[in-house]
Amino acid sequence: MAEVKISPSILSADFARLGEEVRAIEEAGCDWVHVDVMDGHYVPNITIGPAVVKALRPHVKTVMDVHLMIAPVDPYIEAFADAGSDIITIHAEAGPHLDRSLQLIRSLGKKAGVSLNPSTSEDVLKYVLDRVDLILLMSVNPGFGGQSFIPSQINKIARIKEMIGDRDIEIEVDGGVTPETAPACVAAGATALVAGSAVFRGGTPDDPSIYAGNIKAIRSSVASL
Ligand code: DX5
Ligand code: ZN
């Protein structure tokens, strides 16, 4: 099995030191950098916008994995593309024209992702599978880091893996991912894991070895799968 990608969510980083935090998690061995964008409307929290994504871009050497939890989303997709996102993921629940939004992301030369909340059925993916590069399954209700993993999402991962067949689509799981919950995700078909608190816990950008240990703990938990 190909090695699972680890995408630390900078939601759990020190927001006053974001550039240093990104450099530290990359030094610690992450594969992608997960950026959680929240608008206080689609989700009950507000985080960052395209200006911060743009400011972070020169610090990110890997992949900028941008998760938009905003509605409406279409008017802002171009701004996040221009800011330097590599993957732009939108929520299926956030707008009436998912197919159009995904086409827009790809037309801007970016990888297109679609995210589903825990209560959303995978059925909404059925007719857009040829327009997506990544499916982001929320294993918590979006809005905050540090919540507990919702176990019912494991079956959803397996069903989506079956749906995508041999298409080249990443299955990323986001929320409550730890060395305890990661194995079930990967066994069910996850190819990428977002982890916020489980990566940043106990560390600061002054010493990337703590982050490296946390990333290694997640990788080790799934190494035998
Ligand atoms: C939640 C965000 C997640 C979150 C993950 O709305 O999309 O990326 O920050 O944080 P943890 O890993 O702490 O659950
Ligand atoms: Zn996220």
Side-chain angles (χ1 to χ4, degrees):
M1 171 180 286
E3 209 173 271
V4 69
K5 284 147 189 119
I6 306 286
S7 190
S9 164
I10 60 167
L11 189 59
S12 295
D14 180 345
F15 268 37
R17 304 179 69 185
L18 279 183
E20 292 164 86
E21 289 279 39
V22 162
R23 293 199 299 274
I25 52 174
E26 291 198 336
E27 196 178 325
C30 71
D31 299 284
W32 297 349
V33 174
H34 188 81
V35 181
D36 284 309
V37 176
M38 305 184 184
D39 66 352
H41 171 73
Y42 178 67
V43 287
N45 195 4
I46 301 177
T47 55
I48 68 179
V52 175
V53 173
K54 189 174 177 191
L56 284 175
R57 179 68 264 185
H59 301 276
V60 177
K61 303 281 180 275
T62 57
V63 169
M64 187 107 92
D65 172 29
V66 177
H67 178 193
L68 300 183
M69 288 160 274
I70 63 176
V73 65
D74 288 359
Y76 302 101
I77 286 174
E78 196 167 350
F80 283 99
D82 289 347
S85 311
D86 295 302
I87 304 168
I88 299 181
T89 297
I90 60 174
H91 268 260
E93 309 87 356
H97 303 294
L98 179 60
D99 184 276
R100 173 185 286 145
S101 308
L102 292 168
Q103 286 195 56
L104 174 59
I105 297 170
R106 280 193 168 172
S107 76
L108 296 164
K110 306 298 179 179
K111 298 230 171 178
V114 56
S115 183
L116 304 184
N117 285 333
S119 64
T120 302
S121 166
E122 65 279 6
D123 291 349
V124 298
L125 300 171
K126 192 171 169 189
Y127 297 102
V128 295
L129 286 175
D130 293 319
R131 300 224 190 271
V132 300
D133 302 294
L134 176 144
I135 295 166
L136 176 59
L137 290 177
M138 292 306 305
S139 39
V140 299
N141 288 293
F144 304 95
Q147 304 180 78
S148 301
F149 187 89
I150 300 174
S152 61
Q153 300 309 300
I154 297 293
N155 284 338
K156 201 199 271 187
I157 300 170
R159 283 194 294 273
I160 288 172
K161 182 182 159 67
E162 214 176 295
M163 280 173 86
I164 66 180
D166 57 8
R167 292 177 183 84
D168 186 16
I169 300 175
E170 299 273 1
I171 302 178
E172 188 175 33
V173 178
D174 184 3
V177 172
T178 65
E180 288 69 46
T181 57
C185 298
V186 173
T191 59
L193 300 170
V194 176
S197 34
V199 168
F200 286 94
R201 168 176 310 145
T204 72
D206 298 324
D207 179 10
S209 72
I210 308 275
Y211 298 156
N214 291 341
I215 290 171
K216 194 163 166 227
I218 299 172
R219 283 199 204 283
S220 307
S221 76
V222 300
S224 61
L225 297 169

